[in-house]
Every structure is written in structure tokens, then in C-alpha cells.
Amino acid sequence: STGSSTAGETAVKNRIAQTILERIGKAIESNSVFKVIVILPVHPEGTYKDDAAIRYIMMWQYMTIARGPSSLRKQFKSRWPHKNPDDYISFHALRNYAFISGICVTEQIYVHSKLLIVDDRIVIVGSANINDRSMLGDRDSEVGVIISDCERIETKMGGQAFTVSKFAHTLRMNLWKEHLALTDDQMSQIEDPLVPDVYEGIWKRISRENTERYAKVFKVVPHDKIRCLEVYDERVVDFEVTETLVGVKGHLTDYALKFLKEENLDHFLASTFMKEVFV
């Protein structure tokens, strides 16, 4: 689960979202290229329609990212009203589909990894979630490893010559290969993740197109058009448009930032006890 704060008065104490916002601000002020790519589970494990506890966790994630005056995106727009947050940070999820007994079904690929790759130079991998239980240091026990490879590779970043670590660079390239369903011959296309032809033309385009295809076929997939549970459609698949799935590339999709935006996700669980459990 995820919960972080950009405002000191909130119940969440860890400041990871604030740190990301400040780093983006530094890039804006220096007019430099900077991107943050976040991949999350589509929703916590379980059925969000029937389980208020799951929706409560989702509420904290949405409050961190995009909802309410202290969210990362709202703080961004308040400080830099003429800038587009999508140019600096994007949120994604992973999804797959299959035919089982002749029926086409879909499910998220649940992202349980806690992994950070920085500039194709440093990798941080561990057990900690971005929430107070993991981050405050006096609650859950966690482990984390920083990997800084001594073997270097010359490549480009943002169109400029750049030295990266072999392990971090190879790991990022292989993850992108899987997420985007690239062949070995296409790997050279994603060497530089910061140039518009890659970030916008490949990464974000495929994510957007996959999202649109899944939303067209599967009516139960969380997407931005489902603003409340009342419009939730129980149909699994529209058989007339299953050919749409042929165009799905890899597993990357957009994270639905407007999903259940008009729903009261807090409900009866907004108690001190429940915040202690989930945040």
C-alpha cells in the first residue's frame, strides 16, 4: 500500500511525495529534463467493489497522487500553474489477458516489487512500501539494498553522452522490453529513456493505447471513466470487439487517476485504528 505526504498537517508523516515534488521543482527551475516513472498495482489485492477496506487503501493512494489540495499533482499545479505534471511524472500499472475455456479474461499483474532505478546508475531494491509503516523506522522491519555497479557503459541520456552502470542499465532495459513487448532488435530504440521519441513516442503511447484497448473490451477494468460504483459494469468482456486485444503490446497501462473519483472511499473505516493498520 502507498501513502505519502506533501503537506505537514496530514496524518501521513513520511515525506517521499514531497521529496519527489521538490526534485521536480529543481528540474523546472533549472530548465532541465527530468522524468519520474511510477508503476503501481491497479488496486490492492481483492475485489474493490465489495471490499471497503480495499477502497480505503486506494483512497490514501489517490490522496497521495492526485486528490485533495495536498496531493502531489495538486501541489504541482499550485506551484507551477503553467507547467504540465505529465511532462515530469507518470503513473502506470501492468495488465494481461488470456483465453480460458474459450472465454477471454483479464487480470492485473500485481506489482509487489519495491524497486527504484535512478539514471541507469543506481538500483535500490528491498521490502519497504511507500507508507509510514515501512518508512518511519519504528514500526515494520524492512530490508533494502543499494546496488552501484563498478562496470560502466557509455550511452546517452536526454540526447547527451552519459555514463551508466551496466547492471542498472541492463535491468531497466530488460524491464522495458518486457513491459512494452519489444524484440531484441528493437532494444536499441529505448537506450535513451528521456528523449521525446522514446518517453512520449514509445513508453507513454503504448501505455495509453493498451489502456484504451482494455477499457473498450473489458468493462470491469478500472479506468478513468468509472467515477463511481453505480456505473460499474459487471460484464466481463464485449465479444464484438475482442479483436481489439490483438493490438495490445506488452503489459503496460496507464494508472487510472480518476477512477472512483466521485465515490466516498473513506466510508466508515476512517478511524485512528484503521489509519494505523493501513497507512
Side-chain angles (χ1 to χ4, degrees), residues 115-123 147-157 162-179 182 184 187-188 190-193:
L115 172 69
L116 174 67
I117 303 175
V118 182
D119 296 340
D120 282 7
R121 286 178 169 175
I122 295 174
V123 174
I147 304 171
S148 181
D149 194 355
C150 295
E151 189 172 354
R152 307 298 185 184
I153 297 176
E154 295 300 323
T155 183
K156 288 187 177 181
M157 193 71 72
F162 196 74
T163 303
V164 299
S165 298
K166 181 178 180 180
F167 175 79
H169 178 71
T170 303
L171 177 60
R172 197 268 304 169
M173 291 280 288
N174 283 325
L175 286 172
W176 279 40
K177 177 185 178 182
E178 187 275 335
H179 295 336
L182 301 178
D184 289 341
M187 291 285 281
S188 61
I190 58 170
E191 282 279 349
D192 186 343

Side-chain angles (χ1 to χ4, degrees), residues 48-59 229 260 265:
Y48 61 82
K49 182 183 179 184
D50 302 319
D51 194 333
I54 290 177
R55 297 198 298 273
Y56 186 71
I57 298 173
M58 294 169 67
M59 178 197 73
L229 291 174
L260 298 185
L265 301 179

Side-chain angles (χ1 to χ4, degrees), residues 223-258:
H223 60 85
D224 286 343
K225 292 182 180 180
I226 301 179
R227 303 294 179 89
C228 61
L229 291 174
E230 290 182 359
V231 300
Y232 180 91
D233 193 329
E234 290 287 358
R235 289 177 296 164
V236 176
V237 61
D238 185 339
F239 289 97
E240 295 181 359
V241 292
T242 52
E243 66 272 12
T244 303
L245 295 174
V246 175
V248 170
K249 299 178 181 178
H251 304 122
L252 189 69
T253 61
D254 292 345
Y255 185 75
L257 293 176
K258 297 178 182 178

